Every structure is written in C-alpha cells, then in structure tokens.
Amino acid sequence: MTLGLWLGSVTAVIPLLAGLFVYRSGVVEDPAWLWGHELGVLLAGLSMFGIGSLLQTRATTLVGGTTLLLYVASLLFLVPWPDQLQSTSVLMMILGGLFFLIAILLSAYRERLVQIPEKMKTGEGIYQVLKWR
C-alpha cells in the first residue's frame, strides 16, 4: 500500500509540474496551458498536502508539500531580469551573497541542526510525520 501511495502521488503530480515548467520557461505561449497547469499544480499540491495531513499518510503529505515548494520556486521564472543583471559578475555576486547568508544561518542554528537526527529517530516534534503509515 505504501508503494502504491508513493507511485500514485508522484504520477499525479509529475505531468502537471512538467507542463508548468515548460510554460514558465517560455517554450509554449498557449494561454490554455496557463490555467490548466497553474490551477492543476495548486489544487493537486494543496489537496495532497491537506488530505495527507488529515489522514496522516506520509506519501501524500510529502509529495504535496514538495509540489507546493516547487510551485513557489517556479515563480522565479516570472520575474523579468534587466539586461544589466544578466552579466556573469553580478550573478557571481548574488550567489556569493547567498552562500554567505546560508553559512551564517547554519552557524547560528548549529545546536538545533545537531539535534535533528536524534529527533527524527525518536519522532519528536514535526518529525512525527515520519512515524505515520
């Protein structure tokens, strides 16, 4: 049953996400794709996440949450980039700043991050999801 939930959840979402990324990358300009994939990904992600949380099934909860995260990440395709921001040096500055910010956040939350494997093993806090069916 677990394998069936995983396969069913993933096969329901993969075509919708593929169509969404194809549309947002600019390959297809058909407005019918916009509504079908925008609403499809949102409805599939929200319903899987909601029903998975309600019924405490790990597969649908994780696939639905991942779908919603990918949907939000795909919104970056809609941001218009000016010509002066497309040079390599500006991109390297942005990536370097992100790397520095992540390093500061990881050092600030080091104590909490060290405790995560033990909390996952015992199923404490939000890691109770991993102990579901």
Side-chain angles (χ1 to χ4, degrees):
M1 176 141 168
T2 303
L3 180 64
L5 281 172
W6 279 105
L7 288 176
S9 299
V10 169
T11 55
V13 170
I14 294 276
L16 293 171
L17 283 173
L20 180 73
F21 281 110
V22 165
Y23 181 79
R24 289 210 174 153
S25 64
V27 176
V28 177
E29 299 285 333
D30 188 14
W33 275 55
L34 172 69
W35 290 105
H37 288 86
E38 293 277 340
L39 291 176
V41 169
L42 270 176
L43 289 175
L46 285 173
S47 63
M48 280 188 189
F49 185 73
I51 291 171
S53 297
L54 186 67
L55 298 177
Q56 295 185 347
T57 54
R58 185 183 328 166
T60 53
T61 305
L62 293 177
V63 171
T66 304
T67 302
L68 292 174
L69 284 175
L70 287 173
Y71 176 79
V72 170
S74 72
L75 291 173
L76 291 175
F77 283 113
L78 300 177
V79 175
W81 293 92
D83 289 336
Q84 65 268 21
L85 286 181
Q86 292 182 0
S87 67
T88 306
S89 59
V90 174
L91 181 64
M92 288 175 60
M93 288 189 320
I94 292 171
L95 292 176
L98 284 173
F99 181 76
F100 183 70
L101 180 67
I102 290 170
I104 288 176
L105 289 174
L106 287 175
S107 68
Y109 292 107
R110 182 185 180 283
E111 295 301 321
R112 287 186 181 182
L113 293 173
V114 169
Q115 296 172 355
I116 287 176
E118 186 62 34
K119 285 184 177 182
M120 287 176 75
K121 287 178 188 174
T122 59
E124 296 177 28
I126 64 169
Y127 301 106
Q128 290 175 348
V129 171
L130 300 176
K131 298 287 183 184
W132 290 350
R133 299 180 193 166

PDB file of all heavy atoms in Angstrom, residues 102-118:
ATOM      1  N   ILE A 102      23.646  31.721   3.849  1.00  0.00           N
ATOM      2  CA  ILE A 102      23.374  30.354   4.291  1.00  0.00           C
ATOM      3  C   ILE A 102      24.386  29.914   5.338  1.00  0.00           C
ATOM      4  O   ILE A 102      24.034  29.265   6.331  1.00  0.00           O
ATOM      5  CB  ILE A 102      23.354  29.399   3.079  1.00  0.00           C
ATOM      6  CG1 ILE A 102      22.117  29.681   2.227  1.00  0.00           C
ATOM      7  CG2 ILE A 102      23.376  27.931   3.514  1.00  0.00           C
ATOM      8  CD1 ILE A 102      22.113  28.967   0.900  1.00  0.00           C
ATOM      9  N   ALA A 103      25.649  30.276   5.151  1.00  0.00           N
ATOM     10  CA  ALA A 103      26.672  29.915   6.128  1.00  0.00           C
ATOM     11  C   ALA A 103      26.402  30.568   7.480  1.00  0.00           C
ATOM     12  O   ALA A 103      26.546  29.928   8.541  1.00  0.00           O
ATOM     13  CB  ALA A 103      28.049  30.320   5.617  1.00  0.00           C
ATOM     14  N   ILE A 104      25.969  31.816   7.487  1.00  0.00           N
ATOM     15  CA  ILE A 104      25.646  32.496   8.748  1.00  0.00           C
ATOM     16  C   ILE A 104      24.453  31.841   9.419  1.00  0.00           C
ATOM     17  O   ILE A 104      24.450  31.606  10.632  1.00  0.00           O
ATOM     18  CB  ILE A 104      25.386  33.995   8.495  1.00  0.00           C
ATOM     19  CG1 ILE A 104      26.695  34.705   8.172  1.00  0.00           C
ATOM     20  CG2 ILE A 104      24.721  34.650   9.703  1.00  0.00           C
ATOM     21  CD1 ILE A 104      26.539  36.144   7.812  1.00  0.00           C
ATOM     22  N   LEU A 105      23.416  31.520   8.650  1.00  0.00           N
ATOM     23  CA  LEU A 105      22.233  30.866   9.223  1.00  0.00           C
ATOM     24  C   LEU A 105      22.566  29.484   9.783  1.00  0.00           C
ATOM     25  O   LEU A 105      22.083  29.109  10.860  1.00  0.00           O
ATOM     26  CB  LEU A 105      21.132  30.759   8.178  1.00  0.00           C
ATOM     27  CG  LEU A 105      20.450  32.067   7.796  1.00  0.00           C
ATOM     28  CD1 LEU A 105      19.487  31.843   6.639  1.00  0.00           C
ATOM     29  CD2 LEU A 105      19.715  32.654   8.990  1.00  0.00           C
ATOM     30  N   LEU A 106      23.392  28.722   9.072  1.00  0.00           N
ATOM     31  CA  LEU A 106      23.771  27.402   9.572  1.00  0.00           C
ATOM     32  C   LEU A 106      24.587  27.495  10.850  1.00  0.00           C
ATOM     33  O   LEU A 106      24.423  26.685  11.757  1.00  0.00           O
ATOM     34  CB  LEU A 106      24.548  26.631   8.501  1.00  0.00           C
ATOM     35  CG  LEU A 106      23.740  26.105   7.329  1.00  0.00           C
ATOM     36  CD1 LEU A 106      24.658  25.479   6.289  1.00  0.00           C
ATOM     37  CD2 LEU A 106      22.707  25.102   7.801  1.00  0.00           C
ATOM     38  N   SER A 107      25.454  28.496  10.948  1.00  0.00           N
ATOM     39  CA  SER A 107      26.237  28.641  12.173  1.00  0.00           C
ATOM     40  C   SER A 107      25.377  29.127  13.333  1.00  0.00           C
ATOM     41  O   SER A 107      25.601  28.741  14.481  1.00  0.00           O
ATOM     42  CB  SER A 107      27.410  29.595  11.952  1.00  0.00           C
ATOM     43  OG  SER A 107      26.944  30.916  11.743  1.00  0.00           O
ATOM     44  N   ALA A 108      24.377  29.933  13.048  1.00  0.00           N
ATOM     45  CA  ALA A 108      23.505  30.433  14.115  1.00  0.00           C
ATOM     46  C   ALA A 108      22.597  29.334  14.656  1.00  0.00           C
ATOM     47  O   ALA A 108      22.302  29.300  15.858  1.00  0.00           O
ATOM     48  CB  ALA A 108      22.663  31.601  13.602  1.00  0.00           C
ATOM     49  N   TYR A 109      22.174  28.423  13.803  1.00  0.00           N
ATOM     50  CA  TYR A 109      21.266  27.354  14.217  1.00  0.00           C
ATOM     51  C   TYR A 109      21.978  26.006  14.367  1.00  0.00           C
ATOM     52  O   TYR A 109      21.350  24.965  14.284  1.00  0.00           O
ATOM     53  CB  TYR A 109      20.116  27.228  13.206  1.00  0.00           C
ATOM     54  CG  TYR A 109      19.196  28.408  13.234  1.00  0.00           C
ATOM     55  CD1 TYR A 109      19.211  29.339  12.210  1.00  0.00           C
ATOM     56  CD2 TYR A 109      18.317  28.591  14.299  1.00  0.00           C
ATOM     57  CE1 TYR A 109      18.363  30.435  12.240  1.00  0.00           C
ATOM     58  CE2 TYR A 109      17.465  29.676  14.328  1.00  0.00           C
ATOM     59  CZ  TYR A 109      17.496  30.597  13.300  1.00  0.00           C
ATOM     60  OH  TYR A 109      16.666  31.675  13.327  1.00  0.00           O
ATOM     61  N   ARG A 110      23.273  26.032  14.618  1.00  0.00           N
ATOM     62  CA  ARG A 110      24.053  24.811  14.695  1.00  0.00           C
ATOM     63  C   ARG A 110      23.533  23.848  15.752  1.00  0.00           C
ATOM     64  O   ARG A 110      23.411  22.649  15.525  1.00  0.00           O
ATOM     65  CB  ARG A 110      25.512  25.136  14.975  1.00  0.00           C
ATOM     66  CG  ARG A 110      26.390  23.916  15.008  1.00  0.00           C
ATOM     67  CD  ARG A 110      27.815  24.249  15.415  1.00  0.00           C
ATOM     68  NE  ARG A 110      28.642  23.076  15.436  1.00  0.00           N
ATOM     69  CZ  ARG A 110      28.645  22.150  16.379  1.00  0.00           C
ATOM     70  NH1 ARG A 110      27.821  22.260  17.391  1.00  0.00           N
ATOM     71  NH2 ARG A 110      29.436  21.108  16.326  1.00  0.00           N
ATOM     72  N   GLU A 111      23.223  24.354  16.934  1.00  0.00           N
ATOM     73  CA  GLU A 111      22.769  23.487  18.025  1.00  0.00           C
ATOM     74  C   GLU A 111      21.471  22.760  17.657  1.00  0.00           C
ATOM     75  O   GLU A 111      21.311  21.588  17.959  1.00  0.00           O
ATOM     76  CB  GLU A 111      22.573  24.307  19.301  1.00  0.00           C
ATOM     77  CG  GLU A 111      23.861  24.896  19.843  1.00  0.00           C
ATOM     78  CD  GLU A 111      24.883  23.820  20.173  1.00  0.00           C
ATOM     79  OE1 GLU A 111      24.491  22.751  20.685  1.00  0.00           O
ATOM     80  OE2 GLU A 111      26.074  24.039  19.890  1.00  0.00           O
ATOM     81  N   ARG A 112      20.559  23.456  17.031  1.00  0.00           N
ATOM     82  CA  ARG A 112      19.303  22.819  16.618  1.00  0.00           C
ATOM     83  C   ARG A 112      19.539  21.797  15.513  1.00  0.00           C
ATOM     84  O   ARG A 112      18.898  20.753  15.469  1.00  0.00           O
ATOM     85  CB  ARG A 112      18.303  23.855  16.129  1.00  0.00           C
ATOM     86  CG  ARG A 112      17.709  24.676  17.229  1.00  0.00           C
ATOM     87  CD  ARG A 112      16.636  25.561  16.676  1.00  0.00           C
ATOM     88  NE  ARG A 112      16.062  26.382  17.726  1.00  0.00           N
ATOM     89  CZ  ARG A 112      15.077  27.211  17.540  1.00  0.00           C
ATOM     90  NH1 ARG A 112      14.555  27.349  16.335  1.00  0.00           N
ATOM     91  NH2 ARG A 112      14.603  27.924  18.533  1.00  0.00           N
ATOM     92  N   LEU A 113      20.441  22.108  14.584  1.00  0.00           N
ATOM     93  CA  LEU A 113      20.708  21.207  13.476  1.00  0.00           C
ATOM     94  C   LEU A 113      21.374  19.918  13.942  1.00  0.00           C
ATOM     95  O   LEU A 113      21.147  18.851  13.371  1.00  0.00           O
ATOM     96  CB  LEU A 113      21.578  21.897  12.428  1.00  0.00           C
ATOM     97  CG  LEU A 113      20.924  23.060  11.690  1.00  0.00           C
ATOM     98  CD1 LEU A 113      21.941  23.767  10.806  1.00  0.00           C
ATOM     99  CD2 LEU A 113      19.761  22.571  10.857  1.00  0.00           C
ATOM    100  N   VAL A 114      22.193  19.998  14.989  1.00  0.00           N
ATOM    101  CA  VAL A 114      22.862  18.807  15.501  1.00  0.00           C
ATOM    102  C   VAL A 114      21.844  17.855  16.127  1.00  0.00           C
ATOM    103  O   VAL A 114      22.016  16.634  16.089  1.00  0.00           O
ATOM    104  CB  VAL A 114      23.954  19.216  16.523  1.00  0.00           C
ATOM    105  CG1 VAL A 114      24.498  18.027  17.268  1.00  0.00           C
ATOM    106  CG2 VAL A 114      25.072  19.939  15.809  1.00  0.00           C
ATOM    107  N   GLN A 115      20.761  18.385  16.673  1.00  0.00           N
ATOM    108  CA  GLN A 115      19.748  17.563  17.336  1.00  0.00           C
ATOM    109  C   GLN A 115      18.756  16.921  16.361  1.00  0.00           C
ATOM    110  O   GLN A 115      17.992  16.047  16.761  1.00  0.00           O
ATOM    111  CB  GLN A 115      18.971  18.408  18.339  1.00  0.00           C
ATOM    112  CG  GLN A 115      19.818  18.936  19.471  1.00  0.00           C
ATOM    113  CD  GLN A 115      19.058  19.930  20.328  1.00  0.00           C
ATOM    114  OE1 GLN A 115      17.926  20.281  20.013  1.00  0.00           O
ATOM    115  NE2 GLN A 115      19.691  20.385  21.395  1.00  0.00           N
ATOM    116  N   ILE A 116      18.762  17.301  15.113  1.00  0.00           N
ATOM    117  CA  ILE A 116      17.768  16.808  14.151  1.00  0.00           C
ATOM    118  C   ILE A 116      17.819  15.294  13.962  1.00  0.00           C
ATOM    119  O   ILE A 116      16.771  14.648  13.984  1.00  0.00           O
ATOM    120  CB  ILE A 116      17.886  17.558  12.811  1.00  0.00           C
ATOM    121  CG1 ILE A 116      17.354  18.969  12.973  1.00  0.00           C
ATOM    122  CG2 ILE A 116      17.130  16.835  11.698  1.00  0.00           C
ATOM    123  CD1 ILE A 116      17.501  19.838  11.745  1.00  0.00           C
ATOM    124  N   PRO A 117      18.983  14.658  13.768  1.00  0.00           N
ATOM    125  CA  PRO A 117      18.957  13.198  13.572  1.00  0.00           C
ATOM    126  C   PRO A 117      18.342  12.432  14.749  1.00  0.00           C
ATOM    127  O   PRO A 117      17.595  11.472  14.544  1.00  0.00           O
ATOM    128  CB  PRO A 117      20.437  12.834  13.397  1.00  0.00           C
ATOM    129  CG  PRO A 117      21.084  14.071  12.925  1.00  0.00           C
ATOM    130  CD  PRO A 117      20.334  15.189  13.567  1.00  0.00           C
ATOM    131  N   GLU A 118      18.619  12.873  15.962  1.00  0.00           N
ATOM    132  CA  GLU A 118      18.038  12.197  17.127  1.00  0.00           C
ATOM    133  C   GLU A 118      16.528  12.411  17.187  1.00  0.00           C
ATOM    134  O   GLU A 118      15.772  11.492  17.509  1.00  0.00           O
ATOM    135  CB  GLU A 118      18.697  12.707  18.413  1.00  0.00           C
ATOM    136  CG  GLU A 118      18.267  11.955  19.643  1.00  0.00           C
ATOM    137  CD  GLU A 118      18.651  10.484  19.593  1.00  0.00           C
ATOM    138  OE1 GLU A 118      19.705  10.152  19.038  1.00  0.00           O
ATOM    139  OE2 GLU A 118      17.867   9.673  20.108  1.00  0.00           O
TER     140      GLU A 118
END
